[in-house]
Amino acid sequence: MTFDRQAYFTRIGFDGVATPDLETLQRIHLLHISTIAFENLDVLLGRKINLGIDDIFNKLVVAGRGGYCFEQNGLLRAALEDIGFEVEDLGARVLMSLPPEMPSRTHRLLLVTINQQRFIADVGFGGKSLTAPVRLEADIAQTTPHGVYRLTLVENDYLLSIQHKDEWQPLYRFDLSFQYPSDHEAGNHYVSTWPASHFRHHLMLCLKNVDGTMLTQIDWQFNEGEPRIIEQADELYQLLMDKFGLRVDDKRHGFSREEFAAACRF
């Protein structure tokens, strides 16, 4: 199945007329991230992450699953292009964990141009992901429904940071170089198969609500405003459906309680 605009709109709860303007981009960005959960379950289940738009659409829209940046922003790009937006893929180096050396580009984000003004759109960075596009403009604080962000120039790159109390926490660094599909394939393969990748050793889910609240699941800890520990794999399996809205019944993209329990090695 190729991209189906109406099916996507139904999935995220978008109604009305979609035109390639900032208001539409803002609405779709927020609805997408508040409906389609960030999750890395397929990596833990030992499944290959396929990045063709047919595969992404079937998993995230038809099968009711979530995904991570290569899938999430791949789906958003297909939707925006279908509406008529000018969209480009970018690749970023993740700095959130303060790595001792500059990492490779393992994050996918989007550059959207509207009337010659450029915006960064990103629905695939988990708990620190944007819930609104931000202008590609340095040294200004930009408020979104889930935090205040800032772009700064570092050498020839842009650095995206989020305000945390009185400090700015760096998230990722990127330039405007053209990204080929093979660039994303390489990054996707790296983060999903590299033995030391945190995606292979930790369960990570996030759903950001339109009211500014957020749900997260990191390994066995669930947070809906107050953290609590999930004791059993069965309880966590049910929580995936009840809280994060994941479907687990699809023939190809679903998974049983037994499969999930076997993957709970984090």
Side-chain angles (χ1 to χ4, degrees), residues 30-250:
L30 181 57
L31 288 171
H32 180 123
I33 204 167
S34 66
T35 308
I36 305 178
F38 177 93
E39 50 111 330
N40 67 319
L41 283 158
D42 277 0
V43 178
L44 297 175
L45 290 164
R47 298 177 179 177
K48 182 181 178 182
I49 308 294
N50 296 306
L51 299 187
I53 187 55
D54 288 5
D55 293 300
I56 293 173
F57 186 85
N58 273 299
K59 179 182 174 183
L60 275 63
V61 177
V62 178
R65 286 282 307 282
Y68 60 14
C69 71
F70 295 105
E71 302 164 285
Q72 295 274 13
N73 286 321
L75 179 61
L76 180 62
R77 173 174 183 156
L80 296 179
E81 285 187 321
D82 188 73
I83 294 167
F85 285 95
E86 180 183 339
V87 189
E88 299 173 56
D89 271 306
L90 301 179
R93 307 176 190 273
V94 178
L95 303 177
M96 192 165 60
S97 62
L98 302 177
E101 298 180 353
M102 187 61 67
S104 60
R105 291 185 175 94
T106 58
H107 180 61
R108 180 182 193 174
L109 63 151
L110 302 176
L111 178 68
V112 184
T113 302
I114 304 172
N115 296 327
Q116 299 184 326
Q117 187 169 23
R118 296 180 294 181
F119 298 86
I120 295 301
D122 183 1
V123 292
F125 201 63
K128 297 293 191 294
S129 189
L130 298 169
T131 48
V134 296
R135 297 191 305 279
L136 188 70
E137 185 174 342
D139 300 322
I140 59 169
Q142 302 191 51
T143 301
T144 74
H146 291 79
V148 180
Y149 293 79
R150 183 183 68 181
L151 288 165
T152 51
L153 290 172
V154 180
E155 299 171 341
N156 295 318
D157 293 346
Y158 288 93
L159 173 65
L160 180 69
S161 303
I162 187 172
Q163 190 173 42
H164 179 66
K165 298 181 179 178
D166 295 327
E167 299 182 350
W168 290 96
Q169 178 186 4
L171 299 180
Y172 53 73
R173 172 176 174 164
F174 63 94
D175 62 21
L176 304 184
S177 300
F178 180 82
Q179 297 295 294
Y180 292 91
S182 58
D183 294 318
H184 297 317
E185 291 286 356
N188 176 56
H189 178 72
Y190 180 81
V191 299
S192 63
T193 65
W194 179 47
S197 170
H198 62 283
F199 286 100
R200 295 194 61 192
H201 301 283
H202 299 284
L203 174 65
M204 292 171 282
L205 294 102
C206 180
L207 195 63
K208 294 189 169 186
N209 300 316
V210 294
D211 63 2
T213 60
M214 178 171 65
L215 311 178
T216 61
Q217 181 75 42
I218 307 297
D219 293 336
W220 296 99
Q221 181 173 286
F222 174 65
N223 196 324
E224 193 177 15
E226 293 292 335
R228 67 180 177 91
I229 300 299
I230 306 300
E231 301 289 346
Q232 302 291 334
D234 268 0
E235 182 185 1
L236 183 49
Y237 182 83
Q238 191 64 43
L239 185 143
L240 299 178
M241 295 179 277
D242 294 345
K243 293 295 186 177
F244 292 95
L246 298 185
R247 280 181 46 205
V248 298
D249 60 346
D250 184 76

